[in-house]
Amino acid sequence: MLDLWFSEFHAPDAKLSILVKEQLYSEQTPFQKIDFFDSETFGKFFTLDGLIMITEKDEFIYHEMISNVPMAVNPDIKKVLIIGGGDGGTAREVCRFKTVEQVDMVEIDERVVRLCQKYFPQTACALDNDPRINLIFGDGLKFVQDAPEGAYDLILVDSTDPLGPGEGLFTTEFYRNCYRALNDKGILINQHESPYYKEYAYEMRRAHKKLASVFSIATVYQFYMPTYSSGHWLFGFASKGLDPVKDADFKRWSEFGLQNRYYNPGVHLGAFALPNYVQEELQKED
Amino acid sequence: MLDLWFSEFHAPDAKLSILVKEQLYSEQTPFQKIDFFDSETFGKFFTLDGLIMITEKDEFIYHEMISNVPMAVNPDIKKVLIIGGGDGGTAREVCRFKTVEQVDMVEIDERVVRLCQKYFPQTACALDNDPRINLIFGDGLKFVQDAPEGAYDLILVDSTDPLGPGEGLFTTEFYRNCYRALNDKGILINQHESPYYKEYAYEMRRAHKKLASVFSIATVYQFYMPTYSSGHWLFGFASKGLDPVKDADFKRWSEFGLQNRYYNPGVHLGAFALPNYVQEELQKED
């Protein structure tokens, strides 16, 4: 058997490794290095600059959690902006809500989309087929800056970590522009790192402090994501007033009639019930 | 720098690895192989037959979750039986509840206790100092079989996986004996594996089906445990009638006045809110 291991470091002295059946493809784009692999347990997976983005086995967890939470808090969401999300999984999930009318998706690296259309049809499917999606290749920062005031009900920042092309998506300036581009019931969800390992917790805190300085409501919610660092991963939830727990309308959410594999109303509430140490890490001063 | 990696396989093709500063000690006992290591990120950790039992960094998560959940459901718990738990962490947490009067702890391998007293004083401390603890070295199966009917309010099975010395602690016969040794308000909590990787999910299902055949209430609850397989770990909750959610009395629990790092009432409720795929895995027929 081919003894080829992909490893991702979660700390300088801790790593998760996956036995690779085959490296399917590799490309250096102007933005990042993209690699596709095949494996037994996780199926196909791909990495950007050596970090796992999605695996066939568990991408549903991430994509259900980024989309269902805001849709339950505001079931009237119609206009959605996705920043990043080149694999198409976030767009696919958003499009399962039939009441959503428009999905603008701004991905900086066209190659991610094109390669996922080839290697990950399960996530990229909606990008080809759903007429509500406007796929734009460009800089998300610039796009949000130029967006009309109050244009969106929901912004989903489905980005890489705050290094490389994703860095600008973790700045106060970007969060201010998102605020402006959202209407009064607007919600921002963003990839928010992890509370467990030191360097991830540091980035988590930084993002949280910036978001809390811009939005009146800013918190995080958690989910079990085994192929991400520590398996304890977070999204940020920020809004101009809607509360992710008190305003969740599960009756209306259930009328969407979705067959989910991870998200349900109990999971929604539990996701916002953070362990004490996570609450403390969020507030810690650096 | 010494390039010495400890690896634990979570699937035949997936492993978590930790850079080891030093192997502190190694011993083969009549029951299992015990190894102690030191590391930067996790501090000291120890393994039984090559599987991580506890690390200094995150043992609090496991030990708070095994003890606080039943104590919130029945704050009148006075007599506790611990099976396994040789590192002492479970006994330490149970002894933080001042109303607990008696803790019988039955560990099959005295060497685990003696070595943890040396290398893990943070978890083993209560074993030396708390007069409520009766430390018994022997077979937990046999002990429960011989225990008087209705002798305990709570049984905590803090065991290894269902291989090697822990195997008998995953049998219907053992669960039946636990049932008999518990009084009418009795609760059984046991180490219940994980829903994510195939082989762990299989053991999870087997344990659940057996427990559900003996106890009128049998469910599982989840917690984020980054150094265990997939980081999504479970305890079983079984009882003769008390419901882990409806009967949770957080007012009385809060009167214990504990300073926790993980557990709080929101975490308690969220722990029982299982993702859809976990609920389905539990019910699946093999």
Side-chain angles (χ1 to χ4, degrees), chain A residues 184-209:
Chain A
D184 288 348
K185 294 188 80 181
I187 297 172
L188 171 72
I189 306 290
N190 70 332
Q191 196 278 88
H192 211 292
E193 305 292 307
S194 168
Y196 185 78
Y197 291 109
K198 204 162 56 178
E199 290 173 34
Y200 285 92
Y202 173 72
E203 297 297 349
M204 168 193 80
R205 267 196 302 282
R206 290 216 310 164
H208 177 65
K209 296 217 160 76

Side-chain angles (χ1 to χ4, degrees), chain B residues 3-19:
Chain B
D3 195 40
L4 179 65
W5 290 86
F6 162 84
S7 293
E8 178 172 334
F9 280 78
H10 295 165
D13 58 348
K15 61 181 175 181
L16 178 70
S17 305
I18 298 176
L19 185 64

Side-chain angles (χ1 to χ4, degrees), chain A residues 139-148 173-174 177-178 180-181:
Chain A
D139 183 358
L141 255 80
K142 185 82 175 42
F143 186 90
V144 174
Q145 204 176 342
D146 298 342
E173 191 198 349
F174 172 68
N177 285 324
C178 286
R180 209 186 42 77

Side-chain angles (χ1 to χ4, degrees), chain A residues 26-91:
Chain A
S26 180
E27 179 177 325
Q28 175 69 52
T29 77
F31 302 101
Q32 54 208 340
K33 184 149 190 294
I34 312 179
D35 291 277
F36 286 83
F37 300 95
D38 195 14
S39 74
E40 181 64 35
T41 290
F42 304 94
K44 281 186 279 190
F45 66 98
F46 89 96
T47 63
L48 293 179
D49 289 338
L51 301 175
I52 293 176
M53 292 295 113
I54 57 172
T55 81
E56 282 189 300
K57 182 174 171 65
D58 61 10
E59 56 88 7
F60 70 96
I61 300 173
Y62 183 94
H63 293 127
E64 287 186 15
M65 288 302 281
I66 201 172
S67 55
N68 282 273
V69 167
M71 290 303 298
V73 176
N74 178 13
D76 293 318
I77 285 169
K78 298 212 172 4
K79 294 184 75 176
V80 181
L81 172 62
I82 299 171
I83 306 287
D87 55 67
T90 297

Side-chain angles (χ1 to χ4, degrees), chain B residues 44-57:
Chain B
K44 279 185 280 192
F45 67 98
F46 88 95
T47 62
L48 293 179
D49 289 337
L51 300 175
I52 293 177
M53 292 296 113
I54 57 172
T55 82
E56 283 189 300
K57 182 173 171 64

Side-chain angles (χ1 to χ4, degrees), chain B residues 23-42:
Chain B
Q23 182 174 21
L24 301 169
Y25 187 75
S26 180
E27 179 176 324
Q28 175 69 52
T29 77
F31 302 101
Q32 53 208 340
K33 183 149 191 294
I34 312 179
D35 291 278
F36 287 83
F37 300 95
D38 194 14
S39 75
E40 181 63 35
T41 290
F42 304 94

Side-chain angles (χ1 to χ4, degrees), chain A residues 13 41 196 261 264 276-277, chain B residues 13 41 58 261 264 276-277:
Chain A
D13 58 347
T41 290
Y196 185 78
R261 292 175 62 200
N264 60 48
N276 295 354
Y277 92 91
Chain B
D13 58 348
T41 290
D58 61 10
R261 293 173 63 200
N264 60 49
N276 296 354
Y277 92 90

